[in-house]
Amino acid sequence: MTAMFAVISFSACSDDDEGKGKVPTEMRYVKTIDSGKNIINIEYDEQHRITKFGNSVLVYNGNTVQIMGLSSSQTIPYERIQLNNEGNVIASESYDEYSKTYKTHATYEYDSAGRLIAGNYILDNINYSYRWENGNCYIVGSTDPYTYTIKYTTHKTPPCNVDFSTGKWFLTYGLPIGKQCSNLVEIDETSSKERDYVEGYRYTYEFDKDGYISKIVETWYANGEKDEKTVYEITYY
């Protein structure tokens, strides 16, 4: 297993990160994500592609990734993910038992640099548009009655195959939805345009001795509600 996960170096120079030493420049591959209630184990093939994400098995057929359960009795993938030639997710499809067909429930669009510029959630009839500033992604438009506020920390995002920079790493079984943000998210907040309601997530981080994320503390908050905290502990190969 060690040889498979040989370190890949980036040419970018590292920066000082809040007194925590140098920001690492070598790619790491996530082994486990432990929330205390659930442990997601991640496995890879010789091409560093995710083949197991928790209780899901990923089977590659060209640019289509079939999502299967662990049971050997399951013969039909319950979800399919379509990738572009750069390996970014462009569509997610769910199997419909009634029609015996796959129905697209989300699509994603990118610019020439591989940055997410649009997300379309078909089942909810909601579309989002994004802009990038200083290497970070912001929602600038949506078809739902909410306003979105995103703030980023000064922590540079360590190079890692699972995108922890926005807090949405779980959406597509660890597969990338475009380029990662330069900085780690601090606040991801939603407020209603029609009533006095705000909810969101706050994030804090801990890092290992090499500068990689070892712990994420995610705190959900909302008007009149008690905060709910989830701690994710992360290990690497």
Side-chain angles (χ1 to χ4, degrees):
M1 188 66 73
T2 303
M4 182 186 300
F5 294 92
V7 167
I8 301 174
S9 296
F10 288 74
S11 60
C13 295
S14 51
D15 300 315
D16 287 331
D17 187 1
E18 296 282 295
K20 297 182 183 297
K22 297 293 184 179
V23 177
T25 58
E26 298 174 339
M27 176 65 77
R28 297 292 298 274
Y29 293 87
V30 174
K31 184 176 183 180
T32 62
I33 304 170
D34 184 356
S35 68
K37 296 180 180 179
N38 182 42
I39 299 178
I40 296 174
N41 295 295
I42 306 178
E43 297 178 4
Y44 304 84
D45 64 13
E46 66 278 358
Q47 299 178 52
H48 296 146
R49 300 181 303 185
I50 294 174
T51 56
K52 181 181 177 185
F53 189 89
N55 293 323
S56 299
V57 175
L58 284 67
V59 180
Y60 294 82
N61 182 13
N63 285 355
T64 299
V65 185
Q66 299 176 335
I67 311 300
M68 310 282 290
L70 294 177
S71 173
S72 58
S73 63
Q74 182 185 0
T75 58
I76 299 176
Y78 57 81
E79 190 169 350
R80 293 191 311 201
I81 293 178
Q82 304 296 339
L83 308 176
N84 62 19
N85 290 334
E86 288 68 48
N88 292 318
V89 176
I90 56 174
S92 294
E93 306 166 345
S94 296
Y95 186 73
D96 180 65
E97 287 285 353
Y98 180 76
S99 64
K100 306 299 182 183
T101 60
Y102 287 91
K103 295 186 176 181
T104 301
H105 59 80
T107 63
Y108 303 94
E109 301 172 32
Y110 306 93
D111 65 13
S112 60
R115 300 177 301 188
L116 181 68
I117 57 174
N120 309 298
Y121 297 88
I122 289 86
L123 297 183
D124 298 323
N125 196 28
I126 299 174
N127 302 319
Y128 299 98
S129 56
Y130 304 89
R131 69 174 171 85
W132 287 73
E133 182 178 330
N134 297 323
N136 296 318
C137 186
Y138 299 86
I139 297 176
V140 292
S142 69
T143 56
D144 62 7
Y146 297 97
T147 299
Y148 297 89
T149 301
I150 300 176
K151 297 180 180 179
Y152 291 89
T153 68
T154 58
H155 299 304
K156 294 295 184 182
T157 301
C160 166
N161 71 301
V162 176
D163 185 1
F164 294 120
S165 68
T166 63
K168 296 179 175 61
W169 49 268
F170 54 86
L171 284 178
T172 52
Y173 307 93
L175 299 174
I177 305 178
K179 187 176 182 178
Q180 298 188 18
C181 294
S182 294
N183 297 81
L184 297 172
V185 68
E186 181 177 16
I187 294 174
D188 187 350
E189 186 174 274
T190 304
S191 57
S192 174
K193 299 175 183 176
E194 301 173 345
R195 57 192 177 95
D196 182 22
Y197 181 76
V198 175
E199 70 171 322
Y201 293 91
R202 292 187 296 268
Y203 295 92
T204 60
Y205 306 87
E206 293 183 14
F207 303 85
D208 64 21
K209 62 181 178 59
D210 297 316
Y212 296 92
I213 300 171
S214 59
K215 183 180 293 185
I216 301 173
V217 179
E218 177 187 77
T219 304
W220 176 84
Y221 61 92
N223 288 20
E225 300 288 343
K226 185 179 179 180
D227 289 0
E228 296 180 5
K229 183 180 293 186
T230 303
V231 178
Y232 299 97
E233 296 188 353
I234 301 158
T235 65
Y236 303 89
Y237 283 98

